[in-house]
Amino acid sequence: MTATTVSNSGSANEPLSIDAVSKGAFDFDMRAALTSGLILALSLVFIALCGIPEGLNERLLIKPVLSLGYLSLLWLPLLFGWLSGNETVLEGMVATKKGARDIVRGLFVGLIGGLGLSLLTVLMDAFDLRDPLVNWSPATEEVLQFSRSIGFGVIAWPVLGAILGAFGAALHVMPEKIRKAVMAGLGTVLSFAIFATFIVDVADFLDDLLYARRGGLKWGWAIALFVIGAGASFLGGGRKISEMKSSYQAATGPAKRQQTTTLILLSLAALIIIPLITGKITQELFANIGIFLLLALGLNIVVGLAGILDLGYVAFFAVGGYTTAVLTSPNRGPDFEGFPTLPWWGALLVTIIIAGLVGLFIGAPVIRMRGDYLAIVTLGFGEIIRLLFLSDWLNGWFNGAQGITNVPPADFGFFSVKGTDPRSVFYLVLFFAAISIYVSWRLERSRLGRAWMAIREDESVAEAMGINTVNMKLMAFVVGAVLASFSGAIFAAKVGSIFPTSFLILVSVIILVVVIVGGMGNIMGIIVGSVVLIGVLGGPKQPGLLAEFSEYKLLIYGALLVVMMLKRPEGLVPNARRSRELHQDEFLQDAWLKGEVDTDDDMVDPSTGGEGTVAPA
Amino acid sequence: MSDTNTDTRTPLLEFRNINTHYGAVHILKDVNLAIYPGEMVSLLGGNASGKSTTLKTLLGMVTPTSGEVVLDGEVVNDKPTSYRVERGVTMVPENRRLFKRLSVKENLELGAYLRNDKAEIANDLERIYTMFPRVKERLNQKSGTLSGGEQQMVAMGRALMAKPRVLLMDEPSMGLAPALVQTNFELIQQIHEEGIAIFMVEQNANMALSLADRGWVLQTGRVVLDDTAENLLANPELQKSYLGGA
Ligand SMILES: Nc1ncnc2c1ncn2[C@@H]1O[C@H](COP(=O)(O)OP(=O)(O)O)[C@@H](O)[C@H]1O
Ligand SMILES: [Mg+2]
């Protein structure tokens, strides 16, 4: 699909089944365009029938022209238009120049997509299918008709689709500089519109200035922001950043180390300062991101490095949370009678030990299994641990469904960490995240890390090298458990009460998605993954910046996973290794084009010349 | 090298009446073997006759149900694989089995996983680079992207990094292009000349026996022939079973 991939579908000399003979604006694969158009139409209808446009219509982005509900539909034709422009038929090996025909194709794709919604508008008016389809409702109908009339809706959707599709495709045709400016402008407007709560939280004087009273950017400001964003990009704002980036990448040796240190110190300073000047919403957001980052870092060691697909990772989060809660709260189960309550940091030490032991205990039987079996068994253990905390049997310790309330703040004398002060939580999380990142980073480069990678690659060969695979895998499990328990301990102090329902399987799933989407085995990717997924979409129960989407969170996670697996299996921030191995065909092809790899190697080994070609009998 | 009166020395590795089972399936049946320091011997046998199982049992990845595995005169039945690797027993697995997504360098370093002598490891790396200049050119490439011949070099290099006294080679010519089979045997010969004992498991009887001092023939887990390479090559039964069987 990408322009660099050589496909054999369109070599210039071969007669093609499509009408590629005529040159001009309509010289594109009509069938393929029709297919993308239909996929677009189906996607749009699906989103509409999920009730997303209607549910999010209240949230105005730009007053009065655009709501989040409409955006949930309109971004798709734009994307499809852009993607259709990517499907260039290669002639020989040189990609053809983008031009009018790409725009026409984008327009065509968008038009078909829009027609899908027109059809839905008409059908909604004519039939009542509300029984199986709950969102076949007057409210959805109203959105589809733009609150005007059927006729308006039926015409407006294809027109909008076509315009956006053509625009998406046109992005390929514009000169690079203009394209970047347009994207920057759009990005600025949308960021200000979508992340309004966050922006107001950081700088509340902007509230009255930029935003209308019931939410949404004032449209005058929307235009102004577009101009500002585009102008900044046009005048070279983005170029400075990319220059700095490439100079950083080019640096080596001590210079690079120095730059890395500076970069880390700067980010750390920024992370310490930002919460000081922002409001509670941002601080809470940061704290939640941190808590899930800690979990993701731990799971990354287990899944990303050692290759153990643990689907019950929430178990260790639960153990961390519960252990800290019962050791610090006066409201724990009656069977703890006589145990002194500990301060948070004292409890933390015990928590680490208990989590490590539970890691050993669960790990020992599980670790001998491989692949799918292991995944299923860990899934089971994740549930068993939660059910134990919920059970009548241990009710005397853990209070069953009532949970453990009144978990006191973590008191460090000079400052105390409690849920009502999300900033303090964030600082505590930051401290532990820094430790975990450092530990992960060191482990990855250690002998232990190498043993884990060998096991991930080929367990029996690793064993043959003398690696004690059972012990090493157990070790990964224990390290993962301990990192998760940090997170649980902080979580307990933050929320002040711990219930079995805080530790549903969903938590395991979300952490795993963070790890996969970010890029397995890659610390930077895990950080970006946490910020994007937890920060924007939110955690299992914690709202993100797009709190409106929380109802559709799983849908979005699912879609994201599918798209990532298909298009970018190496994660958002790939490391060179993963991306090379996952795109090996393309990599080899590129190398072959550049003449780096001779693929006939196996037949005649150049190092021995032509000698020794006699095949043994 | 063709000296077969080695019985007075202690064997480096030995099987005494080994029986191995996978679950209820009896694989190796009363197998006796002895590999002496510095010699090149070969184990021949058709598909599924138990050749790989023999190597895994020697290395401790499979535990025998009866009999003794002896390393330098010591019974090592209950010693882990790492114990044997540390004492110079190293395997080049069937089909090379590199860690495909790790770089060539990482593969080589993993071969020296149990060693602590940093300076010597660096030395041995250099030695491998001179032995295989092509490997040196590709140190940071993922080993899965190498050609078959290069993968074979890395597999050998990885094994040598363990500082072996005996190399257990599981069908080294399997899956190699015909032109490479010859080069590969030359390479094995070269390693052997450095004093490393070679225990080569092969289906390719003629080629293996032309290099080896002695050989055994395994048939459904039982040793049916045990002789010098010369005699085995001349053995009409072997010729027949290899021309007609497998
Ligand atoms: N892990 C295992 N579990 C059960 N049976 C096995 C296992 N490994 C090998 N076998 C069986 O043991 C027999 C001998 O296998 P192997 O030693 O690999 O033969 P060879 O290397 O001579 O081809 C075969 O029948 C094979 O199916
Ligand atoms: Mg075999």
Side-chain angles (χ1 to χ4, degrees), chain B residues 169-202:
Chain B
M169 312 208 62
D170 199 346
E171 306 204 27
S173 47
M174 185 199 255
L176 283 185
L180 281 178
V181 172
Q182 178 69 33
T183 339
N184 192 36
F185 276 118
E186 281 163 18
L187 196 63
I188 294 170
Q189 182 73 38
Q190 189 187 338
I191 290 169
H192 176 228
E193 276 159 15
E194 294 187 14
I196 296 170
I198 307 274
F199 182 66
M200 187 169 25
V201 156
E202 265 298 349

Short mmCIF file of all heavy atoms in Angstrom, two decimals, chain B residues 169-202:
data_model
loop_
_atom_site.label_atom_id
_atom_site.label_comp_id
_atom_site.label_asym_id
_atom_site.label_seq_id
_atom_site.Cartn_x
_atom_site.Cartn_y
_atom_site.Cartn_z
N MET B 169 26.96 -31.61 16.61
CA MET B 169 26.36 -30.97 15.43
C MET B 169 25.20 -31.79 14.93
O MET B 169 25.35 -32.94 14.54
CB MET B 169 27.40 -30.84 14.34
CG MET B 169 28.70 -30.26 14.86
SD MET B 169 29.61 -29.38 13.62
CE MET B 169 28.49 -28.13 13.22
N ASP B 170 24.02 -31.16 14.94
CA ASP B 170 22.81 -31.87 14.52
C ASP B 170 22.53 -31.62 13.04
O ASP B 170 22.08 -30.54 12.67
CB ASP B 170 21.62 -31.45 15.39
CG ASP B 170 20.49 -32.46 15.32
OD1 ASP B 170 20.52 -33.32 14.43
OD2 ASP B 170 19.59 -32.40 16.18
N GLU B 171 22.84 -32.57 12.22
CA GLU B 171 22.64 -32.51 10.77
C GLU B 171 23.08 -31.17 10.19
O GLU B 171 22.27 -30.40 9.71
CB GLU B 171 21.17 -32.76 10.44
CG GLU B 171 20.68 -34.07 11.06
CD GLU B 171 19.50 -34.67 10.32
OE1 GLU B 171 19.37 -34.42 9.12
OE2 GLU B 171 18.74 -35.41 10.96
N PRO B 172 24.39 -30.90 10.24
CA PRO B 172 24.88 -29.59 9.80
C PRO B 172 24.61 -29.30 8.34
O PRO B 172 24.56 -28.14 7.95
CB PRO B 172 26.38 -29.65 10.09
CG PRO B 172 26.70 -31.09 10.21
CD PRO B 172 25.47 -31.74 10.75
N SER B 173 24.41 -30.32 7.51
CA SER B 173 24.22 -30.00 6.09
C SER B 173 22.74 -29.89 5.74
O SER B 173 22.39 -29.60 4.59
CB SER B 173 24.92 -31.00 5.19
OG SER B 173 24.64 -32.31 5.62
N MET B 174 21.87 -30.12 6.71
CA MET B 174 20.44 -30.08 6.39
C MET B 174 20.03 -28.67 5.94
O MET B 174 20.40 -27.66 6.53
CB MET B 174 19.63 -30.44 7.62
CG MET B 174 18.14 -30.54 7.33
SD MET B 174 17.19 -30.43 8.83
CE MET B 174 16.72 -32.14 9.01
N GLY B 175 19.27 -28.62 4.86
CA GLY B 175 18.71 -27.35 4.41
C GLY B 175 19.72 -26.43 3.75
O GLY B 175 19.41 -25.28 3.48
N LEU B 176 20.92 -26.91 3.54
CA LEU B 176 21.91 -26.05 2.86
C LEU B 176 21.92 -26.37 1.37
O LEU B 176 21.72 -27.51 0.97
CB LEU B 176 23.31 -26.31 3.43
CG LEU B 176 23.64 -25.68 4.77
CD1 LEU B 176 25.09 -25.95 5.10
CD2 LEU B 176 23.36 -24.20 4.76
N ALA B 177 22.17 -25.34 0.59
CA ALA B 177 22.30 -25.55 -0.85
C ALA B 177 23.49 -26.49 -1.09
O ALA B 177 24.48 -26.42 -0.36
CB ALA B 177 22.51 -24.22 -1.55
N PRO B 178 23.42 -27.34 -2.10
CA PRO B 178 24.49 -28.33 -2.35
C PRO B 178 25.88 -27.71 -2.35
O PRO B 178 26.80 -28.27 -1.77
CB PRO B 178 24.14 -28.88 -3.73
CG PRO B 178 22.67 -28.69 -3.86
CD PRO B 178 22.32 -27.48 -3.07
N ALA B 179 26.01 -26.53 -2.95
CA ALA B 179 27.33 -25.91 -3.03
C ALA B 179 27.87 -25.60 -1.64
O ALA B 179 29.07 -25.58 -1.41
CB ALA B 179 27.26 -24.64 -3.86
N LEU B 180 26.97 -25.34 -0.71
CA LEU B 180 27.41 -24.95 0.62
C LEU B 180 27.74 -26.15 1.49
O LEU B 180 28.49 -26.03 2.45
CB LEU B 180 26.32 -24.13 1.29
CG LEU B 180 26.26 -22.68 0.85
CD1 LEU B 180 25.12 -21.97 1.55
CD2 LEU B 180 27.57 -21.99 1.15
N VAL B 181 27.21 -27.31 1.15
CA VAL B 181 27.44 -28.49 1.97
C VAL B 181 28.93 -28.77 2.06
O VAL B 181 29.49 -28.97 3.14
CB VAL B 181 26.68 -29.70 1.41
CG1 VAL B 181 27.08 -30.96 2.15
CG2 VAL B 181 25.18 -29.48 1.52
N GLN B 182 29.58 -28.69 0.92
CA GLN B 182 31.01 -28.95 0.85
C GLN B 182 31.78 -27.94 1.70
O GLN B 182 32.60 -28.31 2.53
CB GLN B 182 31.47 -28.88 -0.62
CG GLN B 182 32.94 -29.09 -0.83
CD GLN B 182 33.36 -30.52 -0.52
OE1 GLN B 182 32.60 -31.45 -0.74
NE2 GLN B 182 34.56 -30.67 0.02
N THR B 183 31.48 -26.65 1.50
CA THR B 183 32.16 -25.60 2.27
C THR B 183 31.97 -25.84 3.76
O THR B 183 32.88 -25.65 4.57
CB THR B 183 31.52 -24.23 1.98
OG1 THR B 183 30.84 -24.30 0.75
CG2 THR B 183 32.55 -23.14 1.98
N ASN B 184 30.77 -26.25 4.07
CA ASN B 184 30.43 -26.45 5.46
C ASN B 184 31.26 -27.56 6.09
O ASN B 184 31.79 -27.43 7.18
CB ASN B 184 28.94 -26.76 5.55
CG ASN B 184 28.45 -26.69 6.96
OD1 ASN B 184 28.90 -25.84 7.71
ND2 ASN B 184 27.55 -27.57 7.31
N PHE B 185 31.41 -28.67 5.35
CA PHE B 185 32.22 -29.75 5.89
C PHE B 185 33.68 -29.33 6.02
O PHE B 185 34.36 -29.70 6.97
CB PHE B 185 32.10 -31.00 5.01
CG PHE B 185 30.88 -31.82 5.34
CD1 PHE B 185 29.88 -32.03 4.41
CD2 PHE B 185 30.73 -32.38 6.61
CE1 PHE B 185 28.77 -32.79 4.72
CE2 PHE B 185 29.61 -33.13 6.92
CZ PHE B 185 28.63 -33.33 5.97
N GLU B 186 34.14 -28.51 5.09
CA GLU B 186 35.51 -28.00 5.20
C GLU B 186 35.69 -27.18 6.47
O GLU B 186 36.70 -27.26 7.17
CB GLU B 186 35.87 -27.14 3.98
CG GLU B 186 36.23 -27.97 2.77
CD GLU B 186 36.16 -27.18 1.48
OE1 GLU B 186 36.18 -25.92 1.55
OE2 GLU B 186 36.09 -27.81 0.41
N LEU B 187 34.64 -26.42 6.76
CA LEU B 187 34.65 -25.59 7.97
C LEU B 187 34.73 -26.45 9.22
O LEU B 187 35.52 -26.20 10.14
CB LEU B 187 33.37 -24.77 7.97
CG LEU B 187 33.32 -23.59 8.89
CD1 LEU B 187 34.37 -22.58 8.48
CD2 LEU B 187 31.94 -22.97 8.81
N ILE B 188 33.94 -27.50 9.22
CA ILE B 188 33.93 -28.40 10.37
C ILE B 188 35.31 -29.03 10.55
O ILE B 188 35.84 -29.10 11.65
CB ILE B 188 32.85 -29.49 10.18
CG1 ILE B 188 31.46 -28.86 10.19
CG2 ILE B 188 32.95 -30.54 11.28
CD1 ILE B 188 30.35 -29.79 9.78
N GLN B 189 35.89 -29.42 9.42
CA GLN B 189 37.23 -29.98 9.43
C GLN B 189 38.21 -29.00 10.05
O GLN B 189 39.04 -29.35 10.90
CB GLN B 189 37.62 -30.29 7.97
CG GLN B 189 38.97 -30.93 7.81
CD GLN B 189 38.94 -32.38 8.27
OE1 GLN B 189 37.97 -33.09 8.04
NE2 GLN B 189 40.00 -32.82 8.95
N GLN B 190 38.07 -27.74 9.66
CA GLN B 190 38.98 -26.69 10.14
C GLN B 190 38.85 -26.53 11.66
O GLN B 190 39.84 -26.41 12.37
CB GLN B 190 38.60 -25.39 9.42
CG GLN B 190 39.57 -24.26 9.63
CD GLN B 190 39.01 -22.98 9.03
OE1 GLN B 190 38.15 -23.02 8.14
NE2 GLN B 190 39.46 -21.84 9.52
N ILE B 191 37.62 -26.53 12.14
CA ILE B 191 37.39 -26.40 13.58
C ILE B 191 37.98 -27.61 14.31
O ILE B 191 38.62 -27.48 15.35
CB ILE B 191 35.88 -26.28 13.87
CG1 ILE B 191 35.38 -24.94 13.37
CG2 ILE B 191 35.59 -26.45 15.35
CD1 ILE B 191 33.88 -24.82 13.35
N HIS B 192 37.79 -28.75 13.70
CA HIS B 192 38.31 -29.98 14.30
C HIS B 192 39.83 -29.92 14.43
O HIS B 192 40.40 -30.36 15.42
CB HIS B 192 37.89 -31.17 13.44
CG HIS B 192 38.45 -32.47 13.91
ND1 HIS B 192 39.05 -33.37 13.09
CD2 HIS B 192 38.51 -33.00 15.14
CE1 HIS B 192 39.46 -34.39 13.78
NE2 HIS B 192 39.14 -34.21 15.04
N GLU B 193 40.47 -29.32 13.43
CA GLU B 193 41.93 -29.26 13.45
C GLU B 193 42.45 -28.37 14.57
O GLU B 193 43.63 -28.44 14.94
CB GLU B 193 42.46 -28.78 12.09
CG GLU B 193 42.56 -29.96 11.12
CD GLU B 193 42.58 -29.53 9.66
OE1 GLU B 193 42.81 -28.32 9.41
OE2 GLU B 193 42.35 -30.40 8.79
N GLU B 194 41.58 -27.55 15.12
CA GLU B 194 42.01 -26.75 16.28
C GLU B 194 41.93 -27.55 17.57
O GLU B 194 42.12 -27.01 18.66
CB GLU B 194 41.13 -25.50 16.41
CG GLU B 194 41.32 -24.55 15.25
CD GLU B 194 40.59 -23.24 15.44
OE1 GLU B 194 40.16 -22.97 16.58
OE2 GLU B 194 40.46 -22.50 14.46
N GLY B 195 41.59 -28.82 17.45
CA GLY B 195 41.60 -29.68 18.63
C GLY B 195 40.25 -29.87 19.28
O GLY B 195 40.14 -30.41 20.38
N ILE B 196 39.21 -29.39 18.63
CA ILE B 196 37.88 -29.54 19.21
C ILE B 196 37.26 -30.85 18.71
O ILE B 196 37.28 -31.13 17.51
CB ILE B 196 36.99 -28.34 18.79
CG1 ILE B 196 37.56 -27.06 19.39
CG2 ILE B 196 35.55 -28.55 19.23
CD1 ILE B 196 36.92 -25.81 18.87
N ALA B 197 36.77 -31.64 19.65
CA ALA B 197 36.13 -32.90 19.26
C ALA B 197 34.80 -32.60 18.57
O ALA B 197 34.12 -31.63 18.92
CB ALA B 197 35.89 -33.78 20.48
N ILE B 198 34.48 -33.40 17.57
CA ILE B 198 33.23 -33.18 16.83
C ILE B 198 32.40 -34.45 16.91
O ILE B 198 32.90 -35.55 16.64
CB ILE B 198 33.52 -32.89 15.33
CG1 ILE B 198 34.52 -31.76 15.16
CG2 ILE B 198 32.21 -32.63 14.59
CD1 ILE B 198 33.95 -30.39 15.17
N PHE B 199 31.13 -34.27 17.30
CA PHE B 199 30.20 -35.38 17.27
C PHE B 199 29.12 -34.99 16.29
O PHE B 199 28.30 -34.13 16.56
CB PHE B 199 29.62 -35.63 18.67
CG PHE B 199 28.68 -36.80 18.73
CD1 PHE B 199 29.12 -38.10 18.51
CD2 PHE B 199 27.34 -36.61 19.04
CE1 PHE B 199 28.24 -39.17 18.57
CE2 PHE B 199 26.46 -37.69 19.10
CZ PHE B 199 26.91 -38.97 18.87
N MET B 200 29.18 -35.59 15.10
CA MET B 200 28.33 -35.13 14.02
C MET B 200 27.22 -36.12 13.75
O MET B 200 27.46 -37.29 13.48
CB MET B 200 29.17 -34.90 12.77
CG MET B 200 28.39 -34.28 11.66
SD MET B 200 29.42 -33.73 10.29
CE MET B 200 30.84 -34.76 10.40
N VAL B 201 26.00 -35.60 13.82
CA VAL B 201 24.85 -36.43 13.53
C VAL B 201 24.47 -36.16 12.09
O VAL B 201 24.38 -35.01 11.67
CB VAL B 201 23.71 -36.03 14.48
CG1 VAL B 201 22.38 -36.38 13.90
CG2 VAL B 201 23.91 -36.66 15.84
N GLU B 202 24.33 -37.19 11.29
CA GLU B 202 24.06 -36.96 9.86
C GLU B 202 23.18 -38.03 9.26
O GLU B 202 23.14 -39.17 9.71
CB GLU B 202 25.39 -36.91 9.08
CG GLU B 202 25.95 -35.51 8.85
CD GLU B 202 25.04 -34.62 8.02
OE1 GLU B 202 24.07 -35.10 7.42
OE2 GLU B 202 25.32 -33.40 7.96
#
